[in-house]
Amino acid sequence: MDEVTKEKLEAIRRGELSIVENVERALERIEKLNPKINAFIEVNPEARAQAEELERKLKKGERLGKLAGLTIGVKSNINVLGLRATCASKTLENYVATYDAEVIRRVKAADGIIIGMTNMDEFACGSSGETSAFGPTDNPAALGHIPGGSSSGSAAAIAAGMCDLCLGTDTGGSIRNPASHCGIVGLKPTYGLVPRQGLIDLAMSLDQIGPLSPDVYGAALLLEVIAGRNPNECVMLDVRGVELADELNVDIRGMRIGVSPKFEELTELGVMEVIDGAIEKLHDLGAEIVEVDLPHLEKGLPAYYLIMSVEFFSATRKFDGRKYGKRIEEVCGEEVLRRIIRGRYISRKEYRGKYYQRALQVRTLIRRELMSALERVDVIVGPTVPKLPHKLGTKLTPMEMYAYDYLTVPANLAGICGGVVKAGEVNGIPVGLQIQGKMLGEKAVLRVMRAFEASA
Amino acid sequence: MKMMIGFEVHQQLATKRKMYCDCPTDYRDAPPNTNICPICAGLPGAKPLPPNEQAVDAAIEIALMLGCEIVVDRPIYIQRKHYDYPDLPSGYQRTSSPIAVGGELGGVRIREVHLEEDPGQYDPTSGLVDFNRSGVPLVEIVTEPDMRSPEEARRFLRQLVRVLEYSGKVRPEAGGAMRADTNISIEGGARVEVKNINSIKGAYRAIKFEVMRQKAKLDRGETVTRETRAYLESQRITMPMRAKELEEDYRYIPDPDIFPLIIDRARVERIRASMVEPPHLRERRLVEQYGIEPSTASVIVSERELADLFEAIAASVDPKLTASWFRTKLKKVLNYMKLRAAEVRFTPGQMVELLRMVKEGEVTPEQGELVLRELVKKPDGPRLIAQRLGLGRIESAELRAAIEQAIKTNQEAVRDYLAGKREALHFLAGKVMELTRGRADPREIIELLRAELEGGSNDGE
Ligand SMILES: [Zn+2]
């Protein structure tokens, strides 16, 4: 998959592909593949009408927005007016959004067409796509395996070609992990770059909305559309917006790329071999490979699970059964319940110092460690997920499941950005290369991602 | 009996918008659940707007009026206080860590001042919740347990309410009247907290009840344990709260969706420069500046507008005369007409003119009061009012004629007086007042009568 998004946009602009046709193709493909893949929970019944409207605009010679008629799948924890924001949970089974999330407003304003709501781990609690109340999602790139999670449906939809681009969310790796397992491109933006107004929380201090795409160009384009400050939101960076898509094709000669011996310690051999090959290629493309020290990286995982659980407990208090039909504890799956109970337990007054405060200290430690490493290099490159996706239906212990997240949670704890491109395969199963950048270092990250993609 | 009483007082701040969204705060006439948006209704995915700056300023001003030190240049966290109740749209209430500490009012130390948001309103009978009020900013004032009797506690609350009203930054009218929690402990017993108090009177009754209840327990040799009770307004008693509510742990966390507030010194100084002078300090100043009695000053500062009016008038006419008129006459007229000083429509200049007329003897103080009453009812020039009422000093010939007439027609009273019954003189004075239709000064009448009667008897011998 090279520049499919770019090519499609050009075809639409030149009139070779009608927007209506683009939407119809997507709908057909969803209809055909979704029973098997289960990437979508709901399809937007208005998509065709919106395509016709855009087509009329185009025929009248009006200029369309950046997403001109592209089909966009949206993770089910983002509010889209009139569609269900279920969070793939029985708790919100029948909750129809009454407003558009800020990112949805921006996608619509850029003439993107919301094609439907994608499947996910329940309330984004999971790394496999199996905890959804609407059933697990299959991995189109490695059928019979998990697609990763929690943006499982969004990644699978891209891998199966069911739509052009997707929005996902990443709290501890939920964009990067399924992008890696499904062999596509995903990007977790810097915390505070993309508005969260309208995103149903997993953990507020870690959540970030980002793009999933078949190519780097598409990810850059969608990020351009959704990024930038929202005056109606408190915790955001004061960044007007970013120009990314047109500045991708700059070679990486002379860039300083950091690698850490820590990655090898934490990662399965087969996966690491693919990653080593990718790093070798970056070296061949002219980058300078520099070793960086990340001595406490693995401590991020327990800290992440503590902080996330406390925030998730707080966020789910509104699902008390009074307003949205069902009380979360009564209908949710076991992983969601586990996190609520853990959050309730460790936020108790007498345990605050022992768990939550300690976790926040570790978070500060990890942030400092990554920041100081990123002072010496432009990006840090390594594996995304330490192991290959398991076969659907395999029973894992919670700790085995959490172990998928070792390499992705540090970026969330530190608030930095991280992107994933397919590095290669192990026995036909995709392995993603993770490129982590500084805060607001998206441009450098995308540049490395694009250079790698172009060399494939 | 030694006792310690403290308060946590909440009152709505008079801002235009809610604390974390753009909904208006005036929800009085809105049908239930119409004054809401995704944010204050806590819809899934809704995020708060940055905290309302007007509310922060208001809380700073109130804290300054209470002599507090503002927490400057340090992060003030907006915390989530979790509890499960139908009136909370998100299952938590947002409350700030202290924005100010260490104040004092009337000998009671103020421990902390916080900013909070109001929950919605839940009606347990119908089971309905109305979120119109949800998100209205509140100021919370926490005292040290410095009050030693229910009366002291009541006095403090009255003073506090006066400060809050003075600030002009609270809205007592919108069903958001003062809400208070109190804690009471008497020597030998543990601290008992009482929630659900909605008025000064309620606080006084709740404390009195608690003191009696706790004392009776101790007298019987029982122990008073630490607990939280609710005040039941209808029965004027306190009741233990349910066990579930007692175990409550609010699991405070800083709200990850809101940056901590940071108040800088310049902002505090800007507010201090234009802040309203607090009533207890104003009272002291009035005594010193105008040389008036403390008890009179206390009456004058009872309402900010009354004190403003006083100072406007005392600038142009004898302050002591003004003060005495405020205390004995204006306050009486306003009370009688059930008016607040804020509703007075006459100008300070009109009252200055009236007081000058009194001072120059153009009208008697009694006549002046009649003019004042008209002035309050329908403002006009006091001279015009006096004319309209037919008031004004009587010519001395007419007064003398009236006195002679009164003596002539009331010989019995004259005899009584001459026989030593001094009250008879007042009876005669009353008759003269009648004859002159109140236009003569009673003191002058008495003097003239006395001179006439005593002189007259001499003549007769
Ligand atoms: Zn609102």
Side-chain angles (χ1 to χ4, degrees), chain A residues 79 92 95 98-99 191 196-201 204-205 231-236 310-311 313-315 317-320 322-324 344-345 347-350 352 356, chain B residues 22 38-39 41-51 79-80 82 84-92 129 131 248-259:
Chain A
N79 279 275
L92 292 174
Y95 171 68
T98 57
Y99 67 103
Y191 183 78
R196 288 178 296 125
Q197 183 74 264
L199 162 64
I200 302 176
D201 307 313
M204 295 67 76
S205 74
N232 292 327
E233 201 169 320
C234 204
V235 180
M236 279 209 79
V310 169
E311 293 187 15
F313 166 76
S314 176
R317 293 313 83 205
K318 66 178 60 173
F319 306 118
D320 56 10
R322 296 187 180 100
K323 298 181 292 291
Y324 309 104
R344 172 181 293 141
Y345 181 78
S347 60
R348 273 161 65 172
K349 213 196 277 170
E350 61 267 41
R352 275 185 69 84
Y356 188 55
Chain B
D22 273 337
I39 298 170
L43 288 191
K47 300 276 164 200
L49 303 189
Q79 313 246 43
R80 290 181 175 189
H82 302 91
D84 183 23
Y85 201 66
D87 66 2
L88 278 185
S90 298
Y92 54 81
V129 184
F131 289 116
E248 211 140 50
D249 172 355
Y250 296 124
R251 296 180 159 80
Y252 287 100
I253 61 163
D255 192 323
D257 284 333
I258 303 173
F259 282 132

Side-chain angles (χ1 to χ4, degrees), chain A residues 60-300:
Chain A
K60 274 194 279 177
E62 282 178 46
R63 255 186 82 87
L64 294 188
K66 282 182 179 172
L67 299 176
L70 294 183
T71 52
I72 317 289
V74 178
K75 192 174 179 180
S76 288
N77 55 355
I78 298 172
N79 279 275
V80 179
L81 178 67
L83 297 182
R84 282 185 303 158
T86 60
C87 290
S89 175
K90 286 213 177 321
T91 314
L92 292 174
E93 209 174 359
N94 302 308
Y95 171 68
V96 177
T98 57
Y99 67 103
D100 274 331
E102 179 62 23
V103 290
I104 298 302
R105 256 180 242 157
R106 293 180 182 186
V107 164
K108 287 180 175 174
D111 294 326
I113 295 172
I114 309 294
I115 197 77
M117 304 303 290
T118 59
N119 206 350
M120 59 187 279
D121 279 293
E122 184 181 13
F123 279 104
C125 294
S127 313
S128 72
E130 294 168 302
T131 69
S132 167
F134 295 84
T137 300
D138 204 339
N139 185 339
L143 286 171
H145 291 80
I146 58 158
S150 66
S151 307
S152 47
S154 290
I158 297 296
M162 292 164 143
C163 61
D164 295 317
L165 300 169
C166 276
L167 287 175
T169 63
D170 192 315
T171 307
S174 286
I175 288 173
R176 289 162 291 155
N177 168 303
S180 174
H181 288 328
C182 292
I184 62 159
V185 171
L187 185 83
K188 180 206 99 73
T190 302
Y191 183 78
L193 177 61
V194 177
R196 288 178 296 125
Q197 183 74 264
L199 162 64
I200 302 176
D201 307 313
L202 168 54
M204 295 67 76
S205 74
L206 301 159
D207 294 340
Q208 195 64 188
I209 299 172
L212 294 103
S213 163
D215 55 355
V216 177
Y217 180 84
L221 189 70
L222 185 51
L223 180 58
E224 257 183 33
V225 168
I226 60 175
R229 71 175 163 227
N230 172 16
N232 292 327
E233 201 169 320
C234 204
V235 180
M236 279 209 79
L237 297 171
D238 193 15
V239 177
R240 187 173 307 215
V242 282
E243 293 295 325
L244 300 165
D246 292 334
E247 295 172 43
L248 290 174
N249 291 303
V250 184
D251 71 50
I252 58 168
R253 222 177 298 266
M255 268 183 96
R256 290 168 66 85
I257 289 179
V259 295
S260 168
K262 202 77 187 187
F263 296 148
E264 204 172 328
E265 265 175 51
L266 297 168
T267 307
E268 263 179 29
L269 192 62
V271 172
M272 205 58 216
E273 277 173 9
V274 173
I275 297 303
D276 283 340
I279 292 168
E280 193 58 43
K281 189 186 270 175
L282 291 174
H283 177 73
D284 293 345
L285 291 170
E288 184 188 346
I289 308 298
V290 182
E291 194 170 298
V292 293
D293 201 17
L294 301 172
H296 299 101
L297 197 71
E298 73 277 12
K299 292 199 175 69

Side-chain angles (χ1 to χ4, degrees), chain B residues 310-362:
Chain B
F310 168 77
E311 295 210 69
I313 293 165
S316 332
V317 68
D318 178 10
K320 283 185 184 150
L321 176 69
T322 310
S324 114
W325 268 67
F326 265 63
R327 183 179 180 171
T328 58
K329 297 198 160 62
L330 180 58
K331 200 67 188 155
K332 190 166 88 188
V333 172
L334 292 178
N335 285 346
Y336 179 73
M337 295 175 66
K338 296 201 168 59
L339 289 176
R340 294 181 54 79
E343 294 166 296
V344 162
R345 285 175 302 129
F346 64 75
T347 64
Q350 287 170 330
M351 184 147 174
V352 167
E353 194 182 331
L354 172 61
L355 291 178
R356 284 202 179 126
M357 284 164 68
V358 173
K359 212 173 156 77
E360 303 299 324
E362 269 183 63

